[in-house]
């Protein structure tokens, strides 16, 4: 399993990975912690994008052929960084202010809830 927190490295992986489908996969009861699952029929590895303290979401719960990118901006109103996942083609946006991580690996390396997400 590979775990990344650098936005530059995350964007490189996202641009090279030929995902067929993205879904909102995991979330806590308040929806402040959300994981997007990206799968490919060409590759056994899957990608999860995990964001904490989510503040805003716009778009579908799943869509085909994702073209995701991650950026950071400074929210002057709240004096904090804001992390943004976007897919302009799908009209999707998810923002948070607690950081982002990308986990890439095979399905068996991940749990099915945030309680046991990273099983190894």
């Amino acid at each position: 399993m590979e775990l990344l927190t650098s936005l530059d490295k995350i964007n490189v992986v996202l641009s090279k990975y030929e995902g067929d489908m993205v879904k909102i996969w995991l979330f806590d009861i308040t929806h402040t912690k959300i994981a997007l699952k990206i799968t490919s029929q060409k590759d056994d590895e899957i990608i999860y994008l995990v964001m904490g303290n989510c503040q805003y979401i716009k778009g579908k719960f799943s869509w085909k052929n994702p073209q995701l990118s991650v950026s950071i901006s400074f929210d002057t109103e709240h004096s904090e960084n804001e992390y943004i996942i976007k897919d302009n083609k799908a009209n999707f946006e998810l923002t948070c202010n607690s950081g982002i991580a990308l986990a890439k690996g095979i399905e068996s390396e991940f749990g099915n809830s945030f309680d046991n997400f990273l099983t190894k």
Side-chain angles (χ1 to χ4, degrees), residues 16-21 39-45 65:
K16 290 182 179 181
Y17 187 80
E18 296 181 20
D20 295 311
M21 178 65 75
T39 57
S40 172
Q41 294 177 350
K42 300 173 196 102
D43 196 336
D44 289 337
E45 288 187 310
N65 304 314

Side-chain angles (χ1 to χ4, degrees), residues 3-103:
L3 189 60
L4 304 172
T5 57
S6 160
L7 293 188
D8 291 335
K9 291 179 181 178
I10 289 171
N11 280 315
V12 167
V13 169
L14 289 174
S15 69
K16 290 182 179 181
Y17 187 80
E18 296 181 20
D20 295 311
M21 178 65 75
V22 63
K23 297 177 181 181
I24 296 176
W25 196 251
L26 297 174
F27 52 88
D28 65 2
I29 194 165
T30 63
H31 293 87
T32 57
K33 187 172 14 173
I34 295 177
L36 302 179
K37 180 181 182 181
I38 308 166
T39 57
S40 172
Q41 294 177 350
K42 300 173 196 102
D43 196 336
D44 289 337
E45 288 187 310
I46 59 174
I47 290 176
Y48 284 97
L49 283 172
V50 181
M51 298 179 77
N53 203 23
C54 295
Q55 303 294 314
Y56 174 81
I57 188 167
K58 172 181 80 170
K60 296 180 178 184
F61 294 119
S62 65
W63 64 97
K64 295 180 180 180
N65 304 314
Q67 297 177 355
L68 295 165
S69 64
V70 181
S71 62
I72 188 171
S73 65
F74 188 73
D75 180 353
T76 55
E77 182 179 337
H78 298 103
S79 297
E80 60 193 4
N81 286 328
E82 183 175 75
Y83 299 85
I84 305 156
I85 296 177
K86 277 191 176 183
D87 185 329
N88 290 326
K89 183 179 166 192
N91 198 27
F92 178 83
E93 183 176 331
L94 176 61
T95 64
C96 78
N97 59 18
S98 208
I100 184 168
L102 180 145

